[in-house]
Amino acid sequence: VWNYEAGHEQLRLPPPSANWSVGLASAVFDDGRNRLDVLVTDDDIKEQKCTLNSVDLTSGQTVAGREQPGRDWGNSLGAAISLSPDGRFLAYACGPALTILDPGDLSAPIETLRAPRSEEFTAVRFSPDGRYLAVEIDNVATVLALRQ
């Protein structure tokens, strides 16, 4: 994490474990909680998975986290993350799964959707009003209306 005003590195995030084979990484700032939510993939061909960690920006400590299995085939696992404008929802894609949860409680997903067939989610973004979620599934954009 780079502190632009001070012109130096503020925080360096280590990989989730020593034997981690990092594939993709994506992050969003959660200003209301002074946290950085970081999604990384482990592209170990034997066990692909995603890890979502919520890191306190003051201490650098991981304050919450969760793992999710990716898929058991293919090369690189797709991953993406987005925080709703009001901070109420965090959505992340891990291969064929799209999970929506409360960023204050990573342990209990509100909803988990599965991509059809052998496809996977490769992008996710909330609309400015937070009522819709745009996702990309294998190069096709889809807009989902969220339950309020």
Side-chain angles (χ1 to χ4, degrees), residues 77-89:
L77 185 63
I81 187 170
S82 184
L83 183 68
S84 66
D86 61 6
R88 291 180 43 217
F89 301 106

Side-chain angles (χ1 to χ4, degrees), residues 26-87:
S26 186
V28 293
F29 284 99
D30 185 346
D31 292 334
R33 292 179 180 80
N34 195 36
R35 294 184 182 176
L36 179 67
D37 297 316
V38 181
L39 181 65
V40 294
T41 63
D42 185 346
D43 280 343
D44 181 333
I45 204 68
K46 295 177 187 171
E47 182 185 28
Q48 292 186 336
K49 63 184 174 185
C50 295
T51 298
L52 174 64
N53 285 328
S54 187
V55 178
D56 181 278
L57 290 171
T58 304
S59 67
Q61 299 296 311
T62 298
V63 293
R66 65 178 285 117
E67 283 189 358
Q68 182 163 323
R71 52 175 157 58
D72 57 2
W73 52 269
N75 294 326
S76 184
L77 185 63
I81 187 170
S82 184
L83 183 68
S84 66
D86 61 6

Side-chain angles (χ1 to χ4, degrees), residues 125-139:
R125 186 74 59 220
F126 281 95
S127 65
D129 63 7
R131 294 178 37 208
Y132 301 96
L133 188 62
V135 298
E136 180 181 349
I137 305 171
D138 286 346
N139 299 319

Side-chain angles (χ1 to χ4, degrees), residues 2-10:
W2 185 262
N3 183 327
Y4 180 77
E5 289 178 358
H8 63 79
E9 183 178 278
Q10 179 81 23

